[in-house]
Amino acid sequence: MAMAQTSTQICHMCAESSGVLYCYECQHALCTICRELHDMIPATSEHTITTTSTIDLAVVGQKSQCSQHDKEFLFFCVNCNEFICSKCVISTHKNHSFSGITETVSEERDKAKLQITDLRAKIEPLPKIMDKMRCHIDHLQVASKKCHDTINYVRNDLDAYIGTRTKIRITEIDDNETLEQQRYQSFMNDSKHILKKYTQVISELENLLSEKHDITFHSCYGVTNIEIQNLVDVPTEPSLTQVPFVENKMLYREIIAHMESKVEDSLCQSCTNHQDKIDELLKEKEKLEIRFERSSTQMTRKDEEIRSLTLEIDGLKNKLKDVDAKQVQHVEETCDETDNQESTSSDDEADSQESASSE
């Protein structure tokens, strides 16, 4: 490959000028002047010439002559799928199917054109698909960012709600404890004072019982009795309140209720989006009701017309029956008169015949 590339740089014939042309058969570079001399030689006048700027270096090194017989390729062996010379036809490739090089290459060129069309058709949708994928990637990035924001918002909302509910619950417990402690401490202070007073009075009574002198006892007892009457009643035992019940399930339910309220709000917003459709359906319902009312009115009128026509038809039928009865009666009377006349005529003829016979 390196040798072929070197040979395309300097003209092979003059070895001076730059080789801007290349002969595939000679496998040498040519300058424009030597190209004219090259074409004047009968043996090389039909060679294939191309410019070195468009030459495919991958095939430059391929030989255009048969390596076995040192002759130019003239045919293409279909069986062996290779170019052959005139001697190959009668020797190593004898009885093989072969065709001309131009014909074979022409078919391959046509095939290459079809392949180009087919390959272009295959890759034609790719740019649009790639653009679509790029847009989708951008959309994924935006949508993912939106999802992150939503998740963070929900997390912050739950954190804030849980923090608020935690403070409220702890404050309730602490306030209850403080109030109950104050209430119990007040009871204990009052009870301590009452206990001291009662103990003092009991001690006085016990000392008074040891008094032997009756008058002195009476006088002292009167004073002590007044103190007893002024004693405050002993307070009853206060009810022991319980610490507000807190269970983990209850706290979880509060959180769940908060989350459900958020879901219900979103559902309501979704329903609002369909308000136009609901209004449209209501208008259509009103139109159908109006049409139904009109149709009902028309049906009522038609029913009245049908009833009127039915009554009229019944009247006509009755009249027709009366006419038919009169006609039948008239026919019967006519028949009776005819029968009577015929009977009278028969009697007259019989009388005439009898008179004639008697004569």
Side-chain angles (χ1 to χ4, degrees), residues 112-126:
K113 291 178 181 179
L114 293 175
Q115 288 175 334
I116 290 173
T117 303
D118 182 57
L119 294 175
R120 282 179 176 173
K122 288 182 178 180
I123 65 173
E124 183 179 1
L126 283 180

Side-chain angles (χ1 to χ4, degrees), residues 194-222:
I194 293 171
L195 179 61
K196 181 179 179 181
K197 188 64 177 177
Y198 271 70
T199 303
Q200 181 181 352
V201 172
I202 292 171
S203 178
E204 290 178 358
L205 287 174
E206 289 177 345
N207 293 330
L208 185 59
L209 288 175
S210 63
E211 178 61 45
K212 303 297 184 179
H213 190 263
D214 292 339
I215 295 175
T216 302
F217 175 84
H218 176 74
S219 299
C220 292
Y221 178 75

Side-chain angles (χ1 to χ4, degrees), residues 267-279:
L267 291 177
C268 291
Q269 292 176 0
S270 177
C271 293
T272 304
N273 296 332
H274 299 286
Q275 188 62 41
D276 294 339
K277 185 65 176 178
I278 294 173
D279 294 339

Side-chain angles (χ1 to χ4, degrees), residues 39 168 232 271 283 292 298:
D39 291 343
I168 292 173
V232 179
C271 293
K283 290 180 181 179
F292 177 77
Q298 292 177 356

